[in-house]
Every structure is written in structure tokens, then in C-alpha cells.
Amino acid sequence: MKNLKFITKILHNKFLREDPYGSMHMPVYDNVAFEFKTAEELEQAFLGKNPGHMYSRITNPTVEHLEQRIRAVTDAAGVIALSSGMAAITNAILAIAGSGDNIVTSKHLFGNTYSLFEKTLKSWGLEARYTDLTQPDLVKGLVDDKTKAIFFETITNPQLEVVSIKVLSKLALERGILLIADTTLTPPYVFNSGEFGVDIEILSSTKYMSGGATSVGGIIIDNGKYDWRKNSKLKDDAKKYGPSTFINKLRSEVYRNLGSCLSPHNAFLQSVGLETLPLRVDTSCVNVQKIAEFLEKCPRVKSVNYPGLKSSKYYKIAKEQFGDKTGSLLTFDLRSKEECFTFMDKLRLIRRATNLQDNRTLILHPASTIFCEYSDDLKREMGVRETMIRLSAGIEDARDLIFDIKGALEGLK
Ligand SMILES: *Cc1c(COP(=O)(O)O)cnc(C)c1O
């Protein structure tokens, strides 16, 4: 059957090998090594001529099943599942760039991603150049012959900025560099990144895909559009591996050597999570819209930031790219940090926790948590205000959530 929709495809995707017991879930292969009948077969496996599994740091049937399911719904050229979203970003960047190279990005990024670029990778000679990615001329001005990629988040966390992906893609194509998107806030069910010209998609499967905060994981998706001969680090590999160059570089070097594998148990949880991802995305996006519209009407709330609100400057571009699923995160501002804390402490249902896309609605004060290591000036540049609260909508009944928020707002002096 062709042209099945996302959720149908996920639910009816076949195993690569039929399960001897007819299990309907891929079992958890919680083991390290796989034995071979002869020394020659083992040699063939090491030479890559035998597709079997050898060692679970490199491949594992349960992890492979998750990768195959994601591949089936994204039409990707290749998918790799990793131990976390941060591992996915690190692996992707280290596969395509080295010392002396640079990537162009924005300070409007997830806090740990900024720290990875600015602290960890910088100390190894890899430069991140920051600009306003909504301004193509500024981006162009930073690209030089050492630029390997433009890196952006489809909806930035927590600024909720939305860039035109097609504009960035055109620019990347003109300069022969990669376009890498962190799509954590808009996972594959929401939009097809390949159609917008994204070469490599990265997401934290800890979020929506884990099925409600069950496990940490990350995904790299190669949309198969990039000509790897254009990347100086990979051009020799490209002669041999063609379209598989990037995935091969990861699997047989970077991912293997860094030991970034996803545990089979977490792969199982995420594979189960994937089955209900569309339902949870739909519900949380409806909930966040209702909460945003409610907050906009509250006189105690100074401002509300959500790309699905008509008042957002990203409304039009967000709708063009993501339809009615413009993420389940919103931010809003009260009058002071103290007021934010009091509000948060008065909530009875919504949980104070640092995660997003949980089944439960979560709330956080970004400036004092994820961004606490940065100076006030840097926080300002990163769009993180002391008066700002971030809310990640879950899948509860929106009426209960709004009642909780209303009560906490009324509790402010
Ligand atoms: C959470 C998150 C990450 C990091 O993912 P982990 O799975 O926690 O390593 C990266 N990018 C964004 C946008 C995130 O929200």
C-alpha cells in the first residue's frame, strides 16, 4: 500500500526480519555482542559485507528498528539514533567540520547547544559565527570558504523565533554549504524538512518522541539532498560512498568512536512513543493555543509570545511552514522575576521542571535555570529576559490548565 499517512505508516511498518514468535513490538535486544557461525562470516561483517549486527555500540536490532521506522515516515536517505539530542548535534557537526572551520548560526538557540558551540567545540578550533538568521544579508556576510554549515532551530527554544527555511536553504545551496536544522519543536510529523531544503535534521527524541519523558535520546536524519563532494572534509569519502557519505562517516567513525549509541531499552521506549506522537503533538498544540489566547486577555500578563498567535511577528511564516502545529511551547512575561517565581509556586497542577513536550504541562523560568551560566548582557542578546516564563503544554484537558493558571495569576498581589 502506497501513500499511507504518518501514523498509519508508523503503526504498520514491517520489521527488517520477521520475529520468530510473531511479536508485534520489536523486542529489546539488551545484549552487547552477536555471534557468527564461522570466522569468515565474522570477517565479512567487519568488512561491511555482511549486514548483520556485531556489537551494540555500533548497531543493535532494537535501535535499528527505531531508525527504520523514522526512515519510513521521513523518506530520509539515512537515520541514526543516538544517546541524546546533544550527542546528535555534536556528532553531526564533528562529521562535517574540523579545526579551522566555522558554522553560521544564531544566539537564539537552546542553551546547551550554545554552550557546546561556544565552549566545547571552540576549544578544538571550530568556530561558531552568530548572526540574526532572519536577515539573509547578514548571513551571507559571514559565510566564507571555511564555512561548512548553517545551523538553526525551526522554532528556537525559548525565544520562539521562526526563520524562513526556504530563504536559508537557497543561500546554503548557492554557497554549497549544508543546512542543518534542529527540529525538536517541529518533529517530522509536523513538516517535511527535506521539502524545505534542509539537508540534515537533528532532533532531541527525549522530547515528543520518547512518549512523555520516558528516556533521553537523539536522532540524526540525512535527507539525502546534499552533494558531499562540496564538503572539503568529506569530498574523498564522497567518491567512494556517494549519497551515503555522511551516514557512513558517522557509523564507521564519529558515532562509533564517540560511543554515542542509544541504549536498546531507550530505543524500545522511543519506538513505542513514536506510535502516538501525532496524537500528542495534535493535543498539545491545541492546548498551547488555548493557553496563549487566554494569557493574551489577562491584564496581569505583560506580553505573550507564541508563533500561533496573530500578534506574533512570526505568525505568517510559522503557518506557512508548520500549518496549525506551531510548537507546544509559549513564553509570557510578568512584571518581575519575583512575580514569575510567585506565580510558578502558586500553580497546583502545572509542574516546575526543565523539559518540554512531556505529557504533563511544565513550567520554567529560563533566565535562572537553563541560562543561569550566562551574563546579563549575553542573556539579553539571547533574548532571555528575567521577566519571562516558559510553558510547555502537555496533553491534559486545557480547561484544567487554564483554571490552574488563572488561580495562580489571581494569587499575585
Ligand atoms: C532538549 C533540546 C536539545 C537537547 O536534547 P537532549 O536530548 O536533552 O540532549 C537540543 N535542542 C533543543 C531545541 C532542545 O529542546
Side-chain angles (χ1 to χ4, degrees):
M1 277 199 294
K2 278 193 168 161
N3 298 324
L4 294 177
K5 300 288 181 275
F6 189 99
I7 193 161
T8 319
K9 259 194 204 167
I10 285 287
L11 290 166
H12 296 283
N13 184 46
K14 296 263 183 302
F15 296 173
L16 283 178
R17 290 190 195 179
E18 211 171 302
D19 184 80
Y21 299 101
S23 167
M24 293 186 69
H25 277 296
M26 171 60 77
V28 184
Y29 283 88
D30 239 340
N31 62 309
V32 177
F34 300 83
E35 68 177 337
F36 290 79
K37 288 204 172 65
T38 63
E40 200 185 336
E41 279 184 27
L42 188 52
E43 182 192 36
Q44 292 299 308
F46 267 81
L47 292 172
K49 291 178 182 158
N50 178 341
H53 301 279
M54 298 184 293
Y55 190 75
S56 286
R57 172 159 47 76
I58 306 166
T59 63
N60 169 281
T62 315
V63 179
E64 180 184 53
H65 178 63
L66 172 66
E67 293 168 345
Q68 290 298 325
R69 285 184 123 180
I70 296 169
R71 198 168 164 189
V73 283
T74 54
D75 300 323
V79 174
I80 294 193
L82 305 93
S83 55
S84 69
M86 292 314 300
I89 299 172
T90 308
N91 271 262
I93 301 288
L94 292 184
I96 58 118
S99 173
D101 290 333
N102 67 72
I103 54 166
V104 173
T105 185
S106 156
K107 282 190 183 160
H108 290 184
L109 280 179
F110 175 64
N112 292 171
T113 306
Y114 177 76
S115 173
L116 170 74
F117 290 166
E118 203 45 33
K119 296 182 175 165
T120 318
L121 296 182
K122 196 175 180 177
S123 72
W124 293 93
L126 215 157
E127 182 195 358
R129 299 182 169 177
Y130 306 100
T131 189
D132 179 351
L133 294 177
T134 65
Q135 305 290 323
D137 287 340
L138 295 179
V139 181
K140 267 186 206 159
L142 286 183
V143 174
D144 64 17
D145 59 359
K146 291 285 184 190
T147 305
K148 291 287 180 286
I150 301 173
F151 181 98
F152 74 106
E153 291 173 9
T154 45
I155 301 180
T156 70
N157 171 14
Q159 306 82 8
L160 310 182
E161 176 184 279
V162 184
V163 296
S164 164
I165 305 173
K166 285 195 169 146
V167 168
L168 282 186
S169 150
K170 188 163 164 277
L171 215 150
L173 204 59
E174 275 167 18
R175 303 299 298 260
I177 57 178
L178 280 158
L179 185 62
I180 307 181
D182 178 337
T183 64
T184 301
L185 272 72
T186 57
Y189 164 63
V190 173
F191 91 119
N192 183 330
S193 71
E195 279 172 16
F196 284 83
V198 170
D199 298 305
I200 304 295
E201 180 173 353
I202 279 163
L203 66 153
S204 166
S205 51
T206 313
K207 312 293 165 52
Y208 270 135
M209 208 174 283
S210 73
T214 62
S215 50
V216 176
I219 304 291
I220 296 178
I221 297 171
D222 177 354
N223 282 323
K225 308 229 180 238
Y226 190 71
D227 179 352
W228 296 103
R229 290 171 303 185
K230 293 187 173 160
N231 178 292
S232 60
K233 186 168 179 175
L234 293 172
K235 65 177 194 297
D236 290 339
D237 286 22
K239 284 183 207 142
K240 196 167 167 199
Y241 299 106
S244 316
T245 298
F246 174 70
I247 292 292
N248 178 71
K249 176 83 172 172
L250 286 167
R251 191 72 82 189
S252 63
E253 186 201 315
V254 183
Y255 167 90
R256 187 196 69 188
N257 295 354
L258 290 178
S260 314
C261 53
L262 182 66
S263 83
H265 181 69
N266 286 0
F268 173 80
L269 292 172
Q270 303 203 353
S271 192
V272 175
L274 192 57
E275 296 189 349
T276 55
L277 179 134
L279 308 179
R280 290 178 287 105
V281 170
D282 287 351
T283 306
S284 58
C285 287
V286 168
N287 282 354
V288 78
Q289 182 77 33
K290 287 182 181 162
I291 296 170
E293 286 170 11
F294 169 78
L295 287 170
E296 240 186 359
K297 286 191 236 114
C298 292
R300 298 300 298 237
V301 176
K302 261 176 37 188
S303 62
V304 186
N305 178 21
Y306 176 60
L309 283 176
K310 289 211 173 77
S311 58
S312 164
K313 63 176 165 179
Y314 304 118
Y315 178 80
K316 195 163 158 278
I317 188 73
K319 291 281 163 198
E320 267 173 45
Q321 295 179 159
F322 316 124
D324 58 355
K325 299 178 201 359
T326 48
S328 57
L329 275 194
L330 64 76
T331 66
F332 60 99
D333 283 65
L334 296 176
R335 283 177 302 200
S336 64
K337 176 182 171 184
E338 291 67 37
E339 208 170 82
C340 291
F341 276 32
T342 310
F343 168 80
M344 287 172 63
D345 293 346
K346 286 195 182 292
L347 292 167
R348 287 157 171 260
L349 193 65
I350 296 175
R351 314 284 188 98
R352 293 160 290 270
T354 175
N355 187 23
L356 46 101
Q357 300 164 351
D358 194 316
N359 291 338
R360 288 154 284 260
T361 298
L362 307 180
I363 204 143
L364 173 93
H365 180 253
S368 64
T369 54
I370 300 174
F371 293 86
C372 69
E373 64 189 276
Y374 303 125
S375 70
D376 288 347
D377 281 347
L378 189 53
K379 278 186 207 165
R380 222 180 334 272
E381 277 179 65
M382 297 175 100
V384 177
R385 296 174 298 277
E386 287 287 313
T387 52
M388 180 173 99
I389 291 177
R390 185 187 85 181
L391 179 141
S392 168
I395 58 171
E396 303 97 329
D397 191 308
R399 289 168 294 190
D400 294 329
L401 297 170
I402 289 172
F403 184 80
D404 194 27
I405 294 169
K406 192 163 176 271
L409 282 172
E410 281 166 2
L412 296 176
K413 281 192 208 80

